[in-house]
């Protein structure tokens, strides 16, 4: 039987494993990096989309306030003036200023029909937006005109497919 001294001499020294390298990262780090990149892209897309539709949201909020005021006061002249203003302002934000700023009368109504893919401005209740704000008394179907303006704001087609900011 071997002695304990000879057994100790047969033992080898402790070998440390090779140091862990930083590259390539473990799969968990790749997954984390991918999720962070996807989250950043989604965040940028949401931010860009919100900025692009900000004018539409503001116009719809203002239209809601106009509806509430009109429901309580039933002032047709006030309604036509406000709707004309909101349509003009939204068109100025959405389209190039040089294309919209000089339009008046029938050319303004034709522009609204063309951009909103409708004929309700030249042939329907929307014709009041060109002459109604300047008349002493306007008699109008308020709800019908508000629906037309709301439809136009929601479905207007900017020239490049995006609203200007």
């Amino acid at each position: 039987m071997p002695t304990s001294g000879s057994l100790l001499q047969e033992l080898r020294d402790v070998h440390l494993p090779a140091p862990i390298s930083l590259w390539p990262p473990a799969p968990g780090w790749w997954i984390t990096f991918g999720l962070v990149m996807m989250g950043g892209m989604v965040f940028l897309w949401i931010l860009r989309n919100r900025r692009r539709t900000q004018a539409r949201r503001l116009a719809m909020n203002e239209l809601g306030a106009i509806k509430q005021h009109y429901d309580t006061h039933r002032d047709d002249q006030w309604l036509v003036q406000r709707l004309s203003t909101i349509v003009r302002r939204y068109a100025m934000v959405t389209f190039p200023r040089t294309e919209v700023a000089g339009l008046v009368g029938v050319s303004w109504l034709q522009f609204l029909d063309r951009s909103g893919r409708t004929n309700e401005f030249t042939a329907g209740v929307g014709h009041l937006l060109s002459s109604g704000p300047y008349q002493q008394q306007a008699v109008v179907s308020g709800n019908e005109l508000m629906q037309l303006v709301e439809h136009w704001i929601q479905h207007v087609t900017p020239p490049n497919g995006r609203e200007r900011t």
Side-chain angles (χ1 to χ4, degrees), residues 51-71:
R51 190 176 302 144
R52 195 176 66 214
T53 61
Q54 181 180 14
R56 179 172 287 149
R57 282 193 320 273
L58 291 173
M60 292 303 293
N61 288 343
E62 190 170 339
L63 185 61
I66 290 170
K67 281 181 184 181
Q68 285 181 342
H69 185 273
Y70 180 72
D71 286 343

Side-chain angles (χ1 to χ4, degrees), residues 98-120:
T98 56
E99 183 180 337
V100 178
L103 296 176
V104 293
V106 175
S107 60
W108 170 243
L109 298 177
Q110 289 171 343
F111 167 78
L112 294 175
D113 281 340
R114 192 173 51 252
S115 61
R117 291 174 276 164
T118 183
N119 65 349
E120 290 296 314

Side-chain angles (χ1 to χ4, degrees), residues 32-165:
T32 302
F33 176 73
L35 291 174
V36 167
M37 291 301 292
M38 284 181 16
M41 289 180 359
V42 166
F43 175 75
L44 290 176
W45 179 80
I46 289 171
L47 189 66
R48 182 174 175 232
N49 190 42
R50 283 188 55 81
R51 190 176 302 144
R52 195 176 66 214
T53 61
Q54 181 180 14
R56 179 172 287 149
R57 282 193 320 273
L58 291 173
M60 292 303 293
N61 288 343
E62 190 170 339
L63 185 61
I66 290 170
K67 281 181 184 181
Q68 285 181 342
H69 185 273
Y70 180 72
D71 286 343
T72 52
H73 296 93
R74 293 289 177 189
D75 184 358
D76 291 339
Q77 180 63 28
W78 179 88
L79 177 68
V80 172
Q81 289 173 347
R82 292 302 181 264
L83 291 180
S84 178
T85 302
I86 193 174
V87 168
R88 179 69 71 165
R89 285 173 48 203
Y90 185 68
M92 295 284 280
V93 168
T94 306
F95 294 90
R97 190 173 286 267
T98 56
E99 183 180 337
V100 178
L103 296 176
V104 293
V106 175
S107 60
W108 170 243
L109 298 177
Q110 289 171 343
F111 167 78
L112 294 175
D113 281 340
R114 192 173 51 252
S115 61
R117 291 174 276 164
T118 183
N119 65 349
E120 290 296 314
F121 289 101
T122 53
V125 70
H127 75 282
L128 288 169
L129 293 181
S130 106
S131 61
Y134 309 108
Q135 296 175 353
Q136 290 291 336
Q137 236 7 57
V139 179
V140 63
S141 170
N143 291 328
E144 189 177 341
L145 186 58
M146 282 189 285
Q147 286 176 351
L148 176 61
V149 169
E150 181 176 4
H151 181 269
W152 183 81
I153 290 172
Q154 290 178 345
H155 296 96
V156 67
T157 307
N160 59 359
R162 295 187 344 217
E163 293 179 20
R164 292 182 330 142
T165 55

